[in-house]
Amino acid sequence: MEIFLIKLLQFILAISLLVLLHEGGHFFFSKLFGVRVEKFFLFFDPWFHIFQWKPKKSETTYGIGWLPLGGYCKIAGMIDESFDTEQMKKPAQPWEFRAKPAWQRLLIMIGGVLVNFLLALFIYSMVLFCWGDSYISTKDMSMGMKFNSEAKALGFKDGDILVGTDKKTFDKFDIDVYRAMADADRIDVRRDGRVIGISLPQHLNLLDMLKTQPAFARPFIPADIDSVAPNTPAAKAGMKKGDKLLAINSAKVDSWNTFNYEISRLSDMMTAAETHADSLRIRSVKVVLKKAGSETVDTLSMVLTPDLKMGINQTSMFTYYKETHREYGFFESLPAGIGYGWNVLRGYVGDMRYLFSADGAKSLGGFGAIGSLFPAQWDWQMFWLMTAFLSIILAFMNILPIPALDGGHVLFLIYEMITGRVPSEKFMVWAEYIGIGILFLLMIVANLNDVLRWLGYM
């Protein structure tokens, strides 16, 4: 429960900050061009609100709604999600959105996206300035990778060290490595001290590489136990820090990669369990291990927790491989942060092509999936990295040419600037309805995927 609350608090704080600044972008340009903002709300307020306040001599009401699906800045003289068509029947006033030149209206509409994008670049820059960049270079992963059966069928072997592709050399092991392999015709690896090229008969599928268990490639991490939590199945069975796992049930364990795969297999079996006896049988395991500081091999029996936890903490890559760390001065961090953010955006936009496949649709995630990305313990570095990533997503999604989003309004404004014709009020209202319908449909699908994953059906 504590972990859930920590993740939830980080999620709410990040989303509140991003929504507030996004709507603040619209607010800033509206005020800059003398357009009246009638309401400025964090979260939506259908039927009622949590709080609202209107300063004296101000035309803007500020408030907090109860529905945390976003926020809004109600700008006078435009058709938005409030569907205030009564105002549009009156003559245009000089302080209304519709009375302003198209280029000013365009800046007002892209103000939120612009703020979110610049915010992400600024956060990435400040993260590099405050914490620097720590990672393990692929060339320093001296024990190489652990590959799944699909990778081995292409010619990879456990222990191969990834070097690069025919298009780029690898540096750190992250999502960009998978993206590069998905677009490659050849992948180079270091094997037995020499570099060999593995030709690919066809391009790899990024989603397949990421979703399969075990994964296509993961850094090899020996199955040494970092620590044992008290009053857990592992502690009660006598496991200690420094013990090395050798097998679970009848499956040999040579790394944390294979251990996690075996636990995932038990998880799949648990979804088919119909009775408590079935569950107990699956959770009852035998573990073979080598005791810390000796050659003694022991076999222990234990019953895992209902969520298949043993109570052991795994060693990390940093235990075995040389860490690369780079510090950034303030002025160095700015271009580095911009480059980092641009790379994140480029990768995210490139991955959108997978969305239009069956597997891509299944990979959509809602609030649960987004919240789960935050760490289980409060970590300011990870919090700000996640906030920057969500800011980029928010910017990109909002600029898509879908009615009801900023990008839809931008599309109609560009049409007006090119043709000199303003879309009719009836067209704009129906476009808004259609856009909101599309957004609600996407939201339902994404959050339904979360529920199905939680129930074990995906």
Side-chain angles (χ1 to χ4, degrees):
M1 185 62 178
E2 181 182 355
I3 291 176
F4 171 77
L5 291 176
I6 290 174
K7 287 176 176 279
L8 179 63
L9 182 59
Q10 292 178 89
F11 173 69
I12 291 176
L13 180 59
I15 290 298
S16 299
L17 176 66
L18 296 180
V19 169
L20 196 64
L21 292 176
H22 177 91
E23 299 304 331
H26 297 307
F27 185 90
F28 170 78
F29 282 105
S30 296
K31 290 295 186 180
L32 181 66
F33 299 129
V35 176
R36 182 173 296 175
V37 177
E38 297 174 352
K39 295 181 76 174
F40 185 90
F41 263 65
L42 173 65
F43 305 149
F44 295 128
D45 63 331
W47 304 295
F48 68 95
H49 53 263
I50 296 175
F51 163 82
Q52 74 172 21
W53 172 63
K54 186 174 183 179
K56 290 182 179 179
K57 299 181 180 180
S58 172
E59 68 269 9
T60 305
T61 299
Y62 303 89
I64 301 175
W66 62 271
L67 189 60
L69 299 181
Y72 69 98
C73 180
K74 189 177 185 306
I75 300 171
M78 73 169 289
I79 296 175
D80 57 12
E81 59 271 18
S82 67
F83 296 104
D84 185 5
T85 56
E86 291 301 316
Q87 186 182 56
M88 305 299 289
K89 294 177 181 178
K90 302 174 183 177
Q93 301 299 317
W95 37 261
E96 287 187 330
F97 177 82
R98 55 180 167 163
K100 301 299 178 180
W103 69 270
Q104 291 185 5
R105 285 180 281 143
L106 182 64
L107 285 174
I108 291 172
M109 291 318 304
I110 67 172
V113 168
L114 183 63
V115 166
N116 279 134
F117 186 61
L118 293 178
L119 174 67
L121 300 182
F122 177 74
I123 291 176
Y124 282 132
S125 297
M126 292 302 97
V127 166
L128 292 175
F129 173 64
C130 293
W131 288 282
D133 190 15
S134 295
Y135 62 94
I136 296 171
S137 176
T138 53
K139 65 181 176 61
D140 291 327
M141 294 178 181
S142 54
M143 287 181 278
M145 298 284 165
K146 186 78 175 174
F147 296 92
N148 66 11
S149 57
E150 288 81 4
K152 290 176 180 177
L154 294 172
F156 293 93
K157 291 184 178 181
D158 287 341
D160 285 349
I161 300 172
L162 293 174
V163 175
T165 69
D166 50 311
K167 299 176 182 176
K168 67 174 291 185
T169 300
F170 297 143
D171 185 13
K172 64 179 71 174
F173 186 80
D174 56 15
I175 185 64
D176 285 338
V177 169
Y178 283 102
R179 289 178 180 134
M181 291 195 295
D183 293 332
D185 296 315
R186 188 194 75 245
I187 300 176
D188 296 330
V189 300
R190 185 176 299 278
R191 181 185 299 169
D192 299 327
R194 59 192 184 91
V195 175
I196 65 171
I198 298 175
S199 298
L200 303 178
Q202 59 185 18
H203 282 183
L204 300 173
N205 183 283
L206 178 63
L207 290 180
D208 287 343
M209 285 194 290
L210 293 174
K211 75 175 185 176
T212 53
Q213 288 295 331
F216 184 87
R218 280 285 187 267
F220 186 93
I221 305 175
D224 299 322
I225 297 172
D226 181 70
S227 60
V228 179
N231 301 317
T232 58
K236 293 174 182 177
M239 297 176 72
K240 304 288 185 182
K241 173 183 174 66
D243 289 349
K244 185 183 186 68
L245 291 173
L246 300 178
I248 179 170
N249 292 334
S250 59
K252 180 182 177 182
V253 171
D254 63 355
S255 62
W256 285 121
N257 313 67
T258 52
F259 174 82
N260 291 331
Y261 173 61
E262 292 303 322
I263 293 296
S264 72
R265 288 181 65 246
L266 294 179
S267 180
D268 291 340
M269 295 168 64
M270 284 287 284
T271 60
E274 298 180 352
T275 65
H276 176 70
D278 291 337
S279 171
L280 186 61
R281 176 179 51 80
I282 295 167
R283 290 161 49 207
S284 300
V285 300
K286 289 186 181 296
V287 176
V288 181
L289 53 82
K290 185 171 73 171
K291 301 300 291 183
S294 74
E295 295 300 317
T296 303
V297 175
D298 203 356
T299 301
L300 306 176
S301 297
M302 68 184 72
V303 179
L304 304 181
T305 63
D307 57 351
L308 300 178
K309 299 297 183 185
M310 191 176 290
I312 54 178
N313 293 315
Q314 303 179 9
T315 48
S316 72
M317 289 192 298
F318 293 95
T319 306
Y320 307 97
Y321 303 122
K322 172 188 171 185
E323 177 184 353
T324 298
H325 180 79
R326 181 176 178 184
E327 296 284 348
Y328 290 86
F330 180 79
F331 293 106
E332 286 180 302
S333 70
L334 297 176
I338 291 171
Y340 189 103
W342 180 254
N343 186 58
V344 170
L345 176 63
R346 184 176 57 187
Y348 182 76
V349 172
D351 294 344
M352 288 295 290
R353 67 182 186 271
Y354 294 102
L355 185 63
F356 302 100
S357 65
D359 287 336
K362 291 179 182 178
S363 69
L364 277 174
F367 298 117
I370 296 172
S372 68
L373 296 175
F374 286 92
Q377 295 180 329
W378 197 281
D379 183 324
W380 280 111
Q381 182 181 6
M382 288 304 300
F383 169 79
W384 287 116
L385 285 173
M386 274 303 307
T387 301
F389 179 61
L390 293 179
S391 192
I392 281 183
I393 292 177
L394 187 61
F396 176 74
M397 295 302 292
N398 262 284
I399 205 61
L400 292 177
I402 299 175
L405 291 178
D406 297 340
H409 291 282
V410 168
L411 179 66
F412 298 140
L413 280 168
I414 292 175
Y415 167 81
E416 178 187 340
M417 294 171 74
I418 293 174
T419 65
R421 291 179 290 181
V422 180
S424 69
E425 179 186 321
K426 183 178 180 181
F427 172 83
M428 293 297 291
V429 168
W430 275 106
E432 200 77 13
Y433 276 124
I434 292 171
I436 289 177
I438 293 172
L439 295 180
F440 270 111
L441 179 61
L442 288 173
M443 192 176 299
I444 290 170
V445 171
N447 286 284
L448 180 60
N449 284 349
D450 283 353
V451 174
L452 293 175
R453 277 190 284 268
W454 180 69
L455 293 174
Y457 290 106
M458 288 183 63

